[in-house]
Amino acid sequence: MRIIVCIKQVPDTNEVKINQETGTLIRKGVPSIMNPDDKNALEEALKIKDKYSAEVVILTMGPLQAKDVLKEALSMGADKAVLITDRKFGGSDTWATATIIAAAIEKIGNYDIIFCGRQAIDGDTAQVGPQIAEFLNLPQITYIKALEIKEEKLEVKRYTENGDYIYEVKMPVVLTAIKELNEPRYPTINGIIENFGDMGEEKIITFEFADLILDESQIGLKGSPTNVFKSFVPVKSKISEIIEGNTTQEKVDYLIEKLSEIKLI
Ligand SMILES: Cc1cc2nc3c(=O)[nH]c(=O)nc-3n(C[C@H](O)[C@H](O)[C@H](O)COP(=O)(O)OP(=O)(O)OC[C@H]3O[C@@H](n4cnc5c(N)ncnc54)[C@H](O)[C@@H]3O)c2cc1C
């Protein structure tokens, strides 16, 4: 069985600052991390590998520095790593990103499960996983919080706001993981020693534009049907009032009056 896990390198958003003039993220000097949901996707793939001896292939699309998340994933136990990188891919929106990743997955081939995180903490759209499934014409189950292999099929629990759903699905399939799925393992000491040096570099295969079956009109700004016109931090306009009163009843009456005034009750 071959499991492909899509991993995005994202800025550690607790530390991100916004350029107030341009509305863009200030990435300089901001540490990057493996997207948290992708870590859950990777952990689930590794659990399947531990139990059924699957091959876990990780891929990321990004600049050269995105190799760091691949090395981290290798040191957690992934077998092979693919970096998808080319200047021509710059400016890609989610549609173009998923087109490129789907082409890379086709090149890797022989896949049974394609795992993504539910969403990336920087772009936050949760579109890439479902788009990959559409481009590869595969079934997809998003928001998964439990998984079991039942012979040729998977039994998957999907979280929704209205309750959990259990699905049975044949492979190949695209799944998107949420944090409730598992507790990701830490990289091992040996894994770090082996993969953060030159040996790690050797394990990373690079796919550029010329390696993939893609047309220039499908990628970058040209291949992106969406455009970010402006991004900004919303101004917080919370007005709070502490309700005074001599008795609880007085405070409750005042609260009811206020809520009625603004037609909330
Ligand atoms: C007009 C426009 C231009 C843009 N230009 C750039 C640009 O030049 N450079 C840039 O970095 N971003 C750019 N972006 C942002 C980029 O499109 C998104 O970051 C990217 O498509 C992923 O979308 P997302 O972050 O919402 O991921 P989501 O859809 O929230 O991610 C879901 C899951 O998909 C997988 N995934 C997503 N992205 C990747 C990836 N890159 N590699 C592997 N797996 C992935 C992960 O498993 C992730 O958990 C641009 C966006 C727009 C709209």
Side-chain angles (χ1 to χ4, degrees):
M1 179 187 290
R2 177 175 282 168
I3 307 171
I4 301 180
V5 187
C6 302
I7 293 176
K8 186 178 182 192
Q9 188 183 48
V10 293
D12 193 343
T13 44
N14 290 332
E15 312 205 20
V16 158
K17 294 188 181 73
I18 305 273
N19 180 329
Q20 296 297 341
E21 270 171 35
T22 61
T24 52
L25 291 181
I26 302 169
R27 289 176 188 260
K28 205 172 170 204
V30 177
S32 293
I33 54 167
M34 186 186 301
N35 182 53
D37 285 343
D38 304 357
K39 230 180 216 183
N40 296 101
L42 174 61
E43 173 60 30
E44 204 60 23
L46 294 174
K47 274 168 65 181
I48 297 171
K49 175 185 164 179
D50 293 344
K51 218 167 160 184
Y52 302 97
S53 67
E55 179 188 51
V56 177
V57 182
I58 42 166
L59 67 78
T60 192
M61 177 179 136
L64 286 180
Q65 79 209 39
K67 276 186 182 178
D68 288 349
V69 285
L70 296 178
K71 289 178 183 173
E72 185 182 346
L74 285 168
S75 60
M76 285 167 73
D79 301 296
K80 287 184 185 154
V82 176
L83 174 71
I84 312 163
T85 194
D86 199 303
R87 277 187 176 277
K88 290 185 175 167
F89 298 149
S92 294
D93 70 356
T94 63
W95 182 271
T97 299
T99 303
I100 298 161
I101 292 176
I105 290 171
E106 289 279 39
K107 188 175 168 76
I108 296 165
N110 288 332
Y111 44 79
D112 298 287
I113 301 175
I114 296 162
F115 252 123
C116 290
R118 171 194 48 179
Q119 75 190 70
I121 56 171
D122 56 348
D124 243 358
T125 66
Q127 291 172 356
V128 170
Q131 285 169 340
I132 291 171
E134 284 300 313
F135 294 145
L136 295 174
N137 201 18
L138 294 176
Q140 57 175 290
I141 304 181
T142 54
Y143 288 69
I144 73 149
K145 59 183 283 194
L147 180 151
E148 259 185 71
I149 297 191
K150 299 242 162 128
E151 293 169 10
E152 297 296 292
K153 290 180 186 164
L154 299 180
E155 190 180 277
V156 174
K157 192 183 271 185
R158 177 173 196 258
Y159 165 83
T160 80
E161 280 176 2
N162 306 319
D164 297 340
Y165 289 73
I166 293 176
Y167 294 95
E168 210 175 62
V169 64
K170 282 189 195 157
M171 295 176 269
V173 61
V174 176
L175 304 172
T176 77
I178 58 175
K179 69 173 188 307
E180 288 78 5
L181 182 59
N182 52 44
E183 190 63 45
R185 67 194 66 186
Y186 289 101
T188 61
I189 298 285
N190 278 347
I192 292 170
I193 293 168
E194 278 172 23
N195 296 297
F196 275 84
D198 292 345
M199 272 163 76
E201 290 287 327
E202 281 166 22
K203 285 189 199 164
I204 298 173
I205 305 156
T206 301
F207 289 173
E208 295 179 354
F209 172 74
D211 300 311
L212 301 174
I213 302 173
L214 285 169
D215 188 277
E216 289 211 25
S217 64
Q218 295 175 288
I219 58 162
L221 282 175
K222 263 195 225 159
S224 298
T226 60
N227 210 333
V228 178
F229 288 106
K230 191 179 175 193
S231 60
F232 60 93
V233 183
V235 181
K236 285 188 186 148
S237 58
K238 234 190 235 167
I239 305 162
S240 50
E241 181 187 340
I242 294 173
I243 297 172
E244 308 285 357
N246 292 326
T247 63
T248 307
Q249 190 57 49
E250 237 180 80
K251 292 178 194 174
V252 169
D253 289 344
Y254 178 79
L255 179 63
I256 291 172
E257 193 187 312
K258 279 280 176 190
L259 292 176
S260 305
E261 258 174 37
I262 55 172
K263 302 204 175 353
L264 271 180
I265 54 171

